Amino acid sequence: TVVRLSTDLTLTGPWETARLGGSISIIDSLLFKDFELLPIGGPINHTAEPSLPSVDSDTPAEKLAAIPEPFKNWGLDLSLKSITPFLIRGNLAGGEVYLDAKVGGTVGKPRPTGGVKLREIEAQLPFSTLTIPMGSVDFNPDRPFNPTLDIKGESTVRPYDIEIHIYGGLAKPTIQTSSNPPLPENEVMTLIATGTTTAGLAD
């Protein structure tokens, strides 16, 4: 991952109530990652199921609450923007990400607005290609660590045209699927993952 930034920051005011303002711009960025997929039916060594941290709005807030005085009381007036798109490249995914946000509030209680836009994201799955023409991640000043997702994906696994909609808060998003011709939701997910329905797997 390569990220180059251009910053123009100013810290003003007395020590106890200082204010950090200005802009942080992404001028050149690239996420490049190639993945190796194990073939289905190949030997796999079983390992313990990993334990991943939950994504919620409380944990980051607790960390910010531990910031000492007077830093957590410093005000924020920051502009975050991508001058050029954040590029995603690799053997499984490609696309562009655009950032346009502002952060107000204080260091201890940030209040972000704006968000992130996804464009022409394409994920190469083992048996299908999932395309996300456009999507968004919107920041909410009242829930700074639980942004709202609105991402729509499309895929075709003949003879089915599939749509996936991911929406709601990042902590507990809703995933809604549909297909034409119609299939039950669990069948749609099986189709995307394996290239066939459960009936095809049984055969």
Side-chain angles (χ1 to χ4, degrees), residues 145-201:
F145 304 106
N146 190 21
T148 301
L149 307 178
D150 186 8
I151 301 172
K152 295 181 179 179
E154 305 168 349
S155 183
T156 298
V157 182
R158 298 297 179 188
Y160 298 96
D161 294 323
I162 300 167
E163 292 185 355
I164 299 178
H165 189 193
I166 304 173
Y167 61 94
L170 177 63
K172 293 182 179 179
T174 298
I175 302 177
Q176 183 178 11
T177 64
S178 62
S179 68
N180 185 22
L183 283 172
E185 184 172 352
N186 63 318
E187 290 285 354
V188 174
M189 299 305 291
T190 301
L191 184 65
I192 294 175
T194 67
T196 186
T197 62
T198 53
L201 291 176

Side-chain angles (χ1 to χ4, degrees), residues 1 31-37 88-94 124:
T1 303
L31 171 62
F32 185 89
K33 181 68 176 178
D34 279 343
F35 295 87
E36 284 190 23
L37 297 178
I88 300 174
R89 298 291 185 266
N91 62 331
L92 294 186
Q124 300 289 339

Side-chain angles (χ1 to χ4, degrees), residues 25 53 66 77-78 154:
S25 302
D77 185 13
L78 298 174
E154 305 168 349

Side-chain angles (χ1 to χ4, degrees), residues 55-73:
V55 179
D56 55 56
S57 59
D58 298 329
T59 304
E62 292 173 356
K63 292 180 179 179
L64 288 178
I67 297 176
E69 303 275 1
F71 305 111
K72 71 177 182 180
N73 298 323

